[in-house]
Amino acid sequence: MQDLLQWRPMTAGDLDGVVAVARVAFPDHPEGRACFVERLALAPDTCFVLAGEGRVAGYLIAYPWPLEAIPPLDTLLGALPSNRDSWYLHDLALLPEARGGGNARAGLDLLFAGIDAPIALVSVNESAAFWQAQGFAPMGSPALQAKLSSYGPHARYMVRSVPKPV
Ligand SMILES: CC(C)(COP(=O)(O)OP(=O)(O)OC[C@H]1O[C@@H](n2cnc3c(N)ncnc32)[C@H](O)[C@@H]1OP(=O)(O)O)[C@@H](O)C(=O)NCCC(=O)NCCS
């Protein structure tokens, strides 16, 4: 399966597949289909799927969002900030059979190539080491920890600054 998979922009026709991947990848953090529909409508340029043979095997959703303002789980945003000074990586998830072959890193490379500002996320599923290897660092404060309450006790807020040019 791995060889046939490629990242491409998400379309409305992918949403059933995206919801199915989310159910498998985030059993403890369920979000309704309406959230995915809204994110794609608000930020189509930074929503991607990993797909092949007509099947969605993974997805990535990001959008402009203020740093340290964590969107509550399973909630519609209504609108996005007009400035693009910072971003939020809402989800990166692959089906189990699509993991372990560099697919997640390839999706992140695609995203990072299109944005030029810090990006934050909430690490769940004990994924902090993965994010750290992708350039994210934990950011903690009592106020941030309180905002993470709907994400469970092991959730971590992490931020990736814009890498300096080499
Ligand atoms: C987290 C996830 C996206 C990683 O996908 P993946 O396909 O295994 O990642 P890649 O193959 O691109 O791995 C990139 C690197 O990260 C490492 N890695 C992968 N998962 C890791 C983890 N949980 N902890 C530490 N390192 C990890 C890989 O070994 C690889 O290292 P390398 O660069 O030395 O080769 C995938 O496991 C997943 O979808 N999990 C369920 C959803 C989830 O938890 N998403 C993140 C929640 S915030």
Side-chain angles (χ1 to χ4, degrees), residues 25-26 92-94 99-105 122 124-125 127 129-131:
F26 299 114
L92 168 62
L94 310 182
R99 295 176 196 166
N103 284 324
R105 195 176 1 173
V122 174
V124 297
N125 292 351
S127 58
F130 166 77
W131 292 116

Side-chain angles (χ1 to χ4, degrees), residues 5-166:
L5 297 174
Q6 283 196 320
W7 287 97
R8 61 163 173 77
M10 188 188 293
T11 68
D14 295 318
L15 284 165
D16 285 345
V18 168
V19 170
V21 174
R23 275 204 197 112
V24 172
F26 299 114
D28 301 330
H29 303 89
E31 294 195 290
R33 182 189 170 89
C35 288
F36 298 99
V37 173
E38 189 205 44
R39 270 49 167 193
L40 176 59
L42 289 175
D45 294 344
T46 45
C47 292
F48 302 96
V49 288
L50 178 71
E53 292 189 323
R55 186 166 180 229
V56 173
Y59 71 94
L60 188 165
I61 292 175
Y63 41 84
W65 199 250
L67 287 178
E68 300 187 39
I70 303 170
L73 267 178
D74 198 21
T75 302
L76 295 182
L77 304 173
L80 295 181
S82 53
N83 70 54
R84 299 188 159 214
D85 296 346
S86 56
W87 291 76
Y88 184 71
L89 206 174
H90 184 96
D91 276 347
L92 168 62
L94 310 182
L95 290 176
E97 57 268 35
R99 295 176 196 166
N103 284 324
R105 195 176 1 173
L108 288 172
D109 287 346
L110 190 62
L111 174 68
F112 295 155
I115 66 175
D116 187 17
I119 182 162
L121 56 80
V122 174
S123 156
V124 297
N125 292 351
E126 301 183 356
S127 58
F130 166 77
W131 292 116
Q132 218 145 353
Q134 308 307 318
F136 288 80
M139 181 188 275
S141 71
L144 272 174
Q145 218 44 46
K147 289 183 201 168
L148 287 177
S149 57
S150 66
Y151 289 82
H154 303 298
R156 294 283 171 274
Y157 186 73
M158 303 183 78
V159 179
R160 179 184 188 266
S161 318
V162 181
K164 294 190 177 65
V166 278

